Amino acid sequence: MQHQNVHVEEKPYKYRECDKAFITIGQLKRHQKIHTGEKPYKCTECDKAFVTNGELKQHQKIHTGERPYKCTECDKAFITNGNLQQHQKIHTGEKPYKCTECDKSFITNKDLKRHHIIHTGEKPYKCTECDKAFVTNGLLKQHQKFHTGEKPYKCTECDKAFITNGLLKQHQKFHTGEKPYKCTECDKSFKTNGALKRHQKIHTGGKPHQCTECDKAFIRKSHLKEHQKGHTGEKPYQCTECDKAFIRKSHLMLHQKVHTGWKPYQCTECDKTFIRKSYLLEHQKFHTGEMPFQCTECDKAFIRESYLLEHQKFHTGWKPYQCTECDKAFIRNGQLTRHQKIHTGEKPYKCAECEKAFIQKSHLMLHQKFHTGERPYKCTECDKTFITNGNLQQHQKIHTGERPYKCTECDKAFITNTDLKRHHIVHTGEKPYKCEKAFIRKAHLMLHQKFHTG
């Protein structure tokens, strides 16, 4: 009789506290425990407790690693047959639960119900520690772990731990190198489906999130919010070791590795090490000479697309960051901040070997190579070595005869833009370096001053 109620959809057992009804009295009793908070079935491996013995048994499979239900289409396995059946709908493409508000459809009715809340705007699950609210109880519980610091899912390859099993699985792909989500437009592949979907917007050109302060638009709303902090100057993530602050928490965490000195990614061509794998991959392009991003206005090419986009601003002349002390303007806010130290005289980066100090840390690191004698960049044409790759590339133009910087006043051409600027002074007659005499170049002034000092 109870089974027949399934076919007629009769649910005679109603709970008076809410509008739910059940086919059997056993289901009603189990449901009542949700309202009373009673969870009599406790796990002996961890501190979790459950309403029913069945839920406890399913949970215990997490500790044993038992996943008896295997998918015949891929290598995934599941704790319950229900989870397997839901998963198999991914392969068949079946999504029987359709939203009446929009064109989205879902694999499970539970997913559809969660989605419906997006249309109502309802967030019934509120955090007692802060003012955040969530669509589902699961998201609330996940959020609460930020307050407790609980990270129960530990990686067996390294010492990292995570709040959710999903985050752990994503992390483990870094160790295995697995990237199962492939783009159909290009040869890129990704660790998560979300990352693939975000990438695909590059091909469609969809950037729905527009900044109201400038003409920039973004693929994700979170990227827009981060960008807007650049306009407000907000940098909420402060380093406890130095006075630097950052817009994003991930930028702070990356910066903190500077203080610890942890650089796990080693170049096989030279002795350089890097904080991030992406930095190593970029660096290796210096050894291979690969520069895939070509400027359409001049013959320059770049390792990264962001470098190309920044370079192209030189051609447009767009410099939105204006110095309030002088008439100089800059392409990036970081360049303006560094420039302003010239006016304040601030030089926070001091050399431990001599009394010199520098505005930028990169300038200090470059200077320190003079003390160590390190010159890692070698010319393949002659035996000269250089402190920076930029100096090597300039030097190599001597061998190739390349002089890309041409004077518009005469037929002379130069290896570097600095040489061209110095040459231009010949045409303007300007002599900016003054003693009782005036000189075109600083070197000429310094030579002259030796006559005074003897």
Side-chain angles (χ1 to χ4, degrees):
M1 288 290 289
Q2 279 182 5
H3 168 75
Q4 287 173 332
N5 288 343
V6 175
H7 298 293
V8 299
E9 294 186 356
E10 185 185 347
K11 293 182 178 181
Y13 300 96
K14 291 180 174 61
Y15 188 60
R16 62 180 180 274
E17 296 291 326
C18 64
D19 59 353
K20 286 202 172 181
F22 302 89
I23 292 167
T24 69
I25 195 166
Q27 289 172 344
L28 171 61
K29 284 180 178 179
R30 279 197 298 271
H31 172 77
Q32 284 172 329
K33 289 174 184 176
I34 295 168
H35 294 283
T36 62
E38 182 189 355
K39 292 183 177 181
Y41 299 95
K42 290 177 174 60
C43 176
T44 55
E45 297 290 324
C46 65
D47 59 353
K48 286 198 174 180
F50 300 88
V51 171
T52 67
N53 190 39
E55 288 171 347
L56 171 61
K57 284 181 177 177
Q58 273 188 31
H59 164 78
Q60 285 172 328
K61 289 175 184 176
I62 294 168
H63 298 297
T64 62
E66 182 190 354
R67 289 172 174 261
Y69 300 96
K70 290 177 175 61
C71 178
T72 55
E73 296 291 324
C74 65
D75 59 352
K76 285 197 174 182
F78 299 87
I79 291 170
T80 68
N81 187 43
N83 289 345
L84 170 62
Q85 287 181 357
Q86 275 186 28
H87 163 78
Q88 286 173 328
K89 289 175 184 175
I90 294 168
H91 297 297
T92 61
E94 182 189 355
K95 291 185 177 181
Y97 299 95
K98 291 177 175 57
C99 176
T100 54
E101 299 289 327
C102 64
D103 58 352
K104 285 195 175 183
S105 55
F106 300 88
I107 291 170
T108 68
N109 189 40
K110 190 177 177 181
D111 291 338
L112 173 61
K113 283 180 177 177
R114 271 203 300 263
H115 165 77
H116 264 310
I117 296 172
I118 294 168
H119 295 298
T120 62
E122 182 190 356
K123 289 184 178 180
Y125 299 96
K126 290 175 175 62
C127 178
T128 54
E129 297 290 326
C130 65
D131 58 353
K132 285 196 173 182
F134 299 88
V135 170
T136 67
N137 191 39
L139 291 175
L140 170 61
K141 284 181 177 177
Q142 192 173 306
H143 163 78
Q144 286 171 330
K145 289 175 185 175
F146 285 104
H147 296 297
T148 62
E150 181 191 355
K151 292 184 176 182
Y153 299 95
K154 290 176 176 61
C155 177
T156 54
E157 297 289 326
C158 65
D159 59 351
K160 285 197 174 181
F162 299 88
I163 289 169
T164 68
N165 190 40
L167 292 175
L168 171 62
K169 284 181 177 177
Q170 273 186 34
H171 164 78
Q172 285 172 329
K173 289 174 184 175
F174 284 100
H175 295 297
T176 62
E178 181 192 355
K179 291 184 177 181
Y181 299 96
K182 290 176 175 60
C183 177
T184 54
E185 297 290 325
C186 65
D187 59 352
K188 283 196 175 182
S189 56
F190 299 88
K191 291 180 178 70
T192 66
N193 190 40
L196 170 61
K197 285 180 176 176
R198 286 194 296 272
H199 163 78
Q200 285 172 329
K201 289 178 182 175
I202 294 168
H203 297 297
T204 61
K207 291 186 177 181
H209 304 286
Q210 178 79 41
C211 178
T212 54
E213 296 291 325
C214 66
D215 58 353
K216 283 196 175 182
F218 299 88
I219 291 168
R220 298 177 70 182
K221 191 176 182 180
S222 60
H223 291 170
L224 170 62
K225 284 183 176 178
E226 277 167 20
H227 163 79
Q228 286 171 329
K229 288 174 185 176
H231 293 296
T232 62
E234 180 191 355
K235 291 183 177 181
Y237 300 100
Q238 177 78 43
C239 178
T240 54
E241 297 290 325
C242 66
D243 59 352
K244 285 198 173 181
F246 300 88
I247 290 169
R248 293 178 69 177
K249 189 179 180 180
S250 60
H251 293 170
L252 170 61
M253 290 172 76
L254 188 63
H255 162 77
Q256 285 171 329
K257 290 176 183 176
V258 174
H259 296 297
T260 62
W262 186 61
K263 292 183 177 182
Y265 300 100
Q266 172 87 40
C267 177
T268 54
E269 297 289 325
C270 65
D271 60 352
K272 285 201 171 182
T273 55
F274 299 88
I275 292 169
R276 296 177 72 174
K277 190 177 181 180
S278 60
Y279 293 168
L280 170 61
L281 293 171
E282 275 175 21
H283 163 78
Q284 286 172 330
K285 289 175 184 175
F286 284 109
H287 295 298
T288 61
E290 181 191 353
M291 291 195 175
F293 299 99
Q294 178 78 42
C295 178
T296 54
E297 297 291 325
C298 65
D299 59 353
K300 284 198 174 181
F302 299 88
I303 290 168
R304 293 178 70 180
E305 187 180 19
S306 60
Y307 294 163
L308 171 60
L309 292 170
E310 192 173 308
H311 162 77
Q312 286 172 331
K313 290 174 185 176
F314 285 102
H315 295 297
T316 61
W318 186 59
K319 293 183 178 181
Y321 299 98
Q322 178 77 43
C323 178
T324 54
E325 297 291 325
C326 66
D327 59 352
K328 284 198 174 183
F330 299 88
I331 289 167
R332 297 176 70 184
N333 190 39
Q335 291 170 340
L336 171 61
T337 304
R338 284 195 295 270
H339 163 78
Q340 285 170 330
K341 289 176 183 174
I342 295 167
H343 297 296
T344 62
E346 181 190 357
K347 291 184 177 181
Y349 300 100
K350 291 174 176 62
C351 178
E353 298 289 327
C354 65
E355 75 278 356
K356 286 197 174 181
F358 300 88
I359 290 169
Q360 293 186 51
K361 189 177 181 181
S362 60
H363 292 170
L364 170 61
M365 291 173 77
L366 190 63
H367 163 78
Q368 285 171 331
K369 289 178 182 176
F370 286 102
H371 294 297
T372 61
E374 181 191 355
R375 298 169 80 93
Y377 299 96
K378 293 177 176 62
C379 178
T380 54
E381 298 291 326
C382 66
D383 59 353
K384 284 197 175 182
T385 57
F386 299 88
I387 291 171
T388 69
N389 187 49
N391 290 345
L392 170 61
Q393 287 182 355
Q394 277 186 26
H395 162 79
Q396 286 172 329
K397 289 173 185 175
I398 295 167
H399 297 297
T400 61
E402 182 189 356
R403 291 175 173 257
Y405 298 96
K406 292 175 176 61
C407 177
T408 54
E409 299 290 328
C410 65
D411 58 353
K412 284 195 175 182
F414 299 88
I415 291 170
T416 69
N417 190 39
T418 306
D419 292 339
L420 173 60
K421 283 179 177 177
R422 274 203 296 265
H423 165 77
H424 265 308
I425 296 172
V426 174
H427 296 295
T428 62
E430 182 189 354
K431 292 183 178 180
Y433 301 100
K434 292 176 175 64
C435 183
E436 77 275 3
K437 286 188 176 183
F439 299 90
I440 290 170
R441 295 177 69 175
K442 189 178 182 180
H444 294 167
L445 170 63
M446 291 172 75
L447 189 63
H448 164 79
Q449 286 171 331
K450 288 178 182 178
F451 287 104
H452 295 297
T453 61

